[in-house]
Amino acid sequence: MPSLRNLEFAFSSKEEAVGDGCPDDLPLSPPCGGRPSPTVAAPPFDQQLTAFNEHGEATRVTLTQAGSSGGGKIEVATYVNEFWTARQRQANSLHEVSYRACFKPQLPRFFIERLTEPGDWVYDPFMGRGTTPLEAALMGRVPVGCDVNPLSVLLTKPRLNPPAQKQVADRLSEIDLTDSEAAPEDLLVFFHPETLGAIAALRRYFRRRLETGQLDSIDAWIRLVALNRLTGHSKGFFSVYTLPPNQAVSVKSQRRINERRGQVPDRRDVRAVILKKSRLLMSECGLDLRRTLGLVENQALLITASADRTPQILSNSVSLVVTSPPFLKVVQYEQDNWLRCWFAEIDPASVAITMSSSVSAWSEVMTSVFHELARVLKPGGHVAFEVGEVQKGTVRLEEAVIPCGLSAGLEPRLVMINDQEFTKTANCWGVGNNAKGTNTNRIVLFQK
Ligand SMILES: C[S@@+](CC[C@H](N)C(=O)[O-])C[C@H]1O[C@@H](n2cnc3c(N)ncnc32)[C@H](O)[C@@H]1O
């Protein structure tokens, strides 16, 4: 168990939180004696946060209070600023795949660049669309990811090794999009009959390629793009106007949308839509970047599993975890992904997504996840665990998370609150800002 006395000493005030070297002041970099840490030359992470002023605001330092497993209270230094922002340089175009409740690539980047170095393993146990593993790979770190939904691997893996645009075009021209099979008639509320025929032909093509062991990285790329283009709110998608692509409405709701808007699905050129999105995704994928990805792609480990049982990941192997778990019942991943699951032939009933109805039930699940994270982390490794404000800020999950990590033997080093003016970023969460869901990033940083 970590020593609460030390924690209180280390973080009972802003001044005391700023240490000058290991081991006595609980350094944020890996312990002395091992490989040189990436932060040896840079100031310790908490000092970097205190000094942070990249967007014109000084960092505010406060305290977060949380219960300890012994029944007492602990206080953790809390740093508030706009650490990453919509005004920052856009993230790489390869990230442009919609997923409900994804975080911005700038979030994992902030930790990856300060707490790891090239070649280190960076892991997300709830990877969603794969923001953390992809950003890690783009920065020359080994990407490791897990999600209980098999969709995540389908969305993430192809972007770690993108094919050339010409390979995509050639392959698309080889696929017979008239070689279709029956698709559920209900889907005609979203798609023109010919478009649905082409989608069903693609679906059948992927199944055959898989069954014959022929599905390669070009097919996997096309499948990723097709998954991303199924439904959306513009002509760049296969469907008639509907919700943004990270939320598939039910057939019944789509019927209502069609009636209200007086619309019927137009025919779409499935090949052209896929090619256009491929071009956009790869628009910042030059030779240097492909070289960087090539160095780590063959070491990548992406798994479909529950985050609390990941025997595929070696003990003491991971330098940094950056993750964001499902928050209580805020996001209905199963409802959002039903159409993508149909296309990818995933049975949604077989995907055991964690949906906790109370903070105590959620804490129990997260505690078992923290035990698994403590196993896979290297000594000195970090976990940046992002939670949101849920239920209009009345539930502070960062307070609930601290005892979960503590009981797994991890030290809560600090809390970071990214206090950001929300404009378009609300799209990232897929919900109206302040209506429900989350509106700030709140991260608890632990260390093994
Ligand atoms: C908040 S999202 C993560 C989004 C991710 N940070 C991104 O940028 O795309 C939470 C993810 O947890 C997954 N999930 C839910 N329960 C899980 C479990 N028990 N084990 C692993 N993944 C789980 C969901 O499928 C969902 O993709």
Side-chain angles (χ1 to χ4, degrees), residues 99-104 124-132 146-149 152 305-308 322-327 331 333 337 351-355 365 369 386 429:
Y99 195 81
R100 189 74 178 268
C102 61
F103 46 45
K104 287 160 71 82
D124 188 345
F126 300 101
M127 71 174 159
R129 66 170 179 168
T131 316
T132 294
C146 162
D147 199 288
V148 75
N149 193 338
S152 284
S306 185
D308 59 349
V322 187
T323 195
S324 166
F327 308 138
V331 175
Y333 296 98
N337 286 321
V351 181
I353 286 181
T354 297
M355 293 291 277
V365 179
V369 172
E386 195 268 339
W429 300 97

Side-chain angles (χ1 to χ4, degrees), residues 211-222:
E211 283 167 359
T212 55
Q214 290 174 291
L215 195 132
D216 62 12
S217 59
I218 307 169
D219 292 326
W221 176 272
I222 294 172

Side-chain angles (χ1 to χ4, degrees), residues 35-213:
R35 198 159 55 109
S37 132
T39 52
V40 161
F45 189 74
D46 51 357
Q47 281 183 25
Q48 293 185 42
L49 299 185
T50 311
F52 189 91
N53 196 358
E54 281 178 25
H55 309 298
E57 291 285 334
T59 298
R60 283 173 284 139
V61 185
T62 63
L63 289 172
T64 295
Q65 283 207 339
S68 73
S69 43
K73 285 260 177 228
I74 61 163
E75 292 182 327
V76 182
T78 299
Y79 299 81
V80 187
N81 203 335
E82 193 173 0
F83 294 107
W84 45 89
T85 163
R87 297 196 297 274
Q88 250 165 312
R89 196 180 68 81
Q90 278 290 327
N92 188 279
S93 58
L94 275 176
H95 281 290
E96 295 293 318
V97 163
S98 310
Y99 195 81
R100 189 74 178 268
C102 61
F103 46 45
K104 287 160 71 82
Q106 286 88 347
L107 186 159
R109 170 170 282 262
F110 191 92
F111 297 95
I112 295 169
E113 68 188 0
R114 287 167 176 81
L115 296 170
T116 67
E117 53 189 328
D120 282 347
W121 289 26
V122 176
Y123 173 46
D124 188 345
F126 300 101
M127 71 174 159
R129 66 170 179 168
T131 316
T132 294
L134 177 59
E135 191 63 14
L138 292 167
M139 297 173 73
R141 276 65 168 173
V142 175
V144 185
C146 162
D147 199 288
V148 75
N149 193 338
L151 198 55
S152 284
V153 175
L154 304 189
L155 295 177
T156 307
K157 195 162 186 271
R159 288 178 293 142
L160 300 177
N161 177 24
Q165 179 71 6
K166 178 164 182 336
Q167 290 176 301
V168 178
D170 290 350
R171 180 63 52 82
L172 275 172
S173 66
E174 288 163 15
I175 302 174
D176 180 358
L177 293 183
T178 61
D179 182 18
S180 196
E181 62 185 3
E185 258 193 39
D186 277 352
L187 297 185
L188 291 170
V189 293
F190 294 100
F191 308 110
H192 183 278
E194 278 179 41
T195 315
L196 183 57
I199 293 170
L202 259 186
R203 183 173 179 265
R204 173 187 231 185
Y205 167 82
F206 294 132
R207 186 188 322 125
R208 285 187 177 155
R209 296 282 282 185
L210 202 60
E211 283 167 359
T212 55

Side-chain angles (χ1 to χ4, degrees), residues 131-428:
T131 316
T132 294
L134 177 59
E135 191 63 14
L138 292 167
M139 297 173 73
R141 276 65 168 173
V142 175
V144 185
C146 162
D147 199 288
V148 75
N149 193 338
L151 198 55
S152 284
V153 175
L154 304 189
L155 295 177
T156 307
K157 195 162 186 271
R159 288 178 293 142
L160 300 177
N161 177 24
Q165 179 71 6
K166 178 164 182 336
Q167 290 176 301
V168 178
D170 290 350
R171 180 63 52 82
L172 275 172
S173 66
E174 288 163 15
I175 302 174
D176 180 358
L177 293 183
T178 61
D179 182 18
S180 196
E181 62 185 3
E185 258 193 39
D186 277 352
L187 297 185
L188 291 170
V189 293
F190 294 100
F191 308 110
H192 183 278
E194 278 179 41
T195 315
L196 183 57
I199 293 170
L202 259 186
R203 183 173 179 265
R204 173 187 231 185
Y205 167 82
F206 294 132
R207 186 188 322 125
R208 285 187 177 155
R209 296 282 282 185
L210 202 60
E211 283 167 359
T212 55
Q214 290 174 291
L215 195 132
D216 62 12
S217 59
I218 307 169
D219 292 326
W221 176 272
I222 294 172
R223 182 174 55 188
L224 147 78
V225 180
L227 277 166
N228 195 251
R229 293 291 97 185
L230 282 174
T231 52
H233 47 298
S234 77
K235 290 191 173 167
F237 294 93
F238 303 152
S239 73
V240 69
Y241 178 96
T242 178
L243 291 191
N246 52 7
Q247 303 161 62
V249 294
S250 66
V251 167
K252 203 167 143 200
S253 305
Q254 187 60 35
R255 234 173 242 130
R256 275 202 302 270
I257 295 175
N258 292 356
E259 276 163 22
R260 207 174 52 238
R261 295 173 59 93
Q263 62 182 19
V264 287
D266 283 337
R267 202 186 79 79
R268 301 275 194 253
D269 182 339
V270 165
R271 277 194 192 90
V273 168
I274 293 175
L275 272 176
K276 185 170 177 205
K277 180 64 182 175
S278 286
R279 240 190 328 270
L280 288 172
L281 277 169
M282 291 190 217
S283 61
E284 292 174 338
C285 202
L287 269 184
D288 280 354
L289 206 94
R290 284 178 186 269
R291 218 171 284 129
T292 304
L293 290 175
L295 290 175
V296 290
E297 180 267 327
N298 59 354
Q299 300 172 68
L301 178 59
L302 302 180
I303 57 176
T304 299
S306 185
D308 59 349
R309 270 189 310 278
T310 55
Q312 303 90 328
I313 306 175
L314 288 177
S315 301
N316 303 312
S317 61
V318 168
S319 295
L320 172 67
V321 171
V322 187
T323 195
S324 166
F327 308 138
L328 304 180
K329 287 189 168 179
V330 171
V331 175
Q332 305 287 326
Y333 296 98
E334 190 177 327
Q335 282 172 25
D336 290 338
N337 286 321
W338 71 269
L339 194 53
R340 288 176 171 195
C341 285
W342 168 77
F343 183 71
E345 306 206 44
I346 295 165
D347 173 10
S350 69
V351 181
I353 286 181
T354 297
M355 293 291 277
S356 314
S357 51
S358 66
V359 175
S360 63
W362 184 82
S363 295
E364 204 175 303
V365 179
M366 292 308 135
T367 299
S368 58
V369 172
F370 271 105
H371 277 275
E372 188 63 348
L373 296 183
R375 179 187 71 76
V376 302
L377 269 186
K378 277 183 171 172
H382 293 89
V383 178
F385 204 85
E386 195 268 339
V387 292
E389 262 175 23
V390 294
Q391 295 170 9
K392 295 191 174 133
T394 56
V395 177
R396 292 281 170 101
L397 288 181
E398 71 273 24
E399 291 168 10
V401 151
I402 290 170
C404 303
L406 269 171
S407 74
L410 299 177
E411 306 260 12
R413 293 299 190 209
L414 50 86
V415 175
M416 276 173 75
I417 298 180
N418 192 53
D419 195 12
Q420 190 181 318
E421 254 178 56
F422 272 81
T423 47
K424 273 194 78 181
T425 325
N427 290 345
C428 167

